[in-house]
Amino acid sequence: AQSVSQHNHHVILSEAASLELGCNYSYGGTVNLFWYVQYPGQHLQLLLKYFSGDPLVKGIKGFEAEFIKSKFSFNLRKPSVQWSDTAEYFCAVNPTDSWGKFQFGAGTQVVVTP
Amino acid sequence: GAGVSQTPSNKVTEKGKYVELRCDPISGHTALYWYRQSLGQGPEFLIYFQGTGAADDSGLPNDRFFAVRPEGSVSTLKIQRTERGDSAVYLCASSPGRTPHTDTQYFGPGTRLTVL
């Protein structure tokens, strides 16, 4: 069965620190990859997505992610976090042969301290 | 413009009762998704509509769960004979639907269902 793994469930870091959140998936075919974010009290919203082309994808608010096909990974990064990046981050995978079926990871709660 | 709305925001029911959860997608979005999110977990796919039809209902856990979208806009998720294990936040999302693989999904605020 396909799965999406987010290795860190909870991350605490200080402002200006660098952030990297891991996401690995198990699926042998072609996939589209997404990172969604949920800020406190808000709805889930898209940070960035990858479906083809340059494996380094840039999203909103200075986030980027790199797709490494050989490692089945799609890690999220931000060089310098701000307090406002405190949120829960979800990786999601959509196999291209499952038209509308998306699988989400369990999420990583990120807390940025001032 | 208006986003995805879900009603009610909270629903408390007793074991064995029937509940309906409503989702109003963004106007013009043909794709609509239902997810269930339990505490400490990510959203779990339940069903995906393209227009009025359920294009993929493989995530519905059993036959107590059913969803409809009769006119291709509003959708209702129906749960019969609720069980305590059904307690979760039920999320709805919509997307334009032209390319579901790569469309951005727009999520609603969710309905928190508690089964006593």
Side-chain angles (χ1 to χ4, degrees), chain A residues 32 34 36 38 43-46 49 51 90 94-102 104-107, chain B residues 4 33 35 37 40-43 45 48 50 56 58 91 98 100-105 107-109:
Chain A
N32 298 311
F34 305 77
Y36 279 82
Q38 187 165 26
H43 310 171
L44 273 164
Q45 59 185 278
L46 182 74
K49 58 185 175 182
F51 47 93
F90 295 92
N94 169 231
T96 56
D97 60 1
S98 298
W99 192 243
K101 187 170 183 176
F102 287 73
F104 282 76
Chain B
V4 177
Y33 307 80
Y35 295 89
Q37 187 173 18
Q41 301 297 317
F45 171 83
Y48 154 61
Q50 182 65 271
D56 188 336
S58 62
L91 296 170
R98 286 181 293 277
H101 282 306
T102 57
D103 278 348
T104 296
Q105 293 186 37
F107 282 82

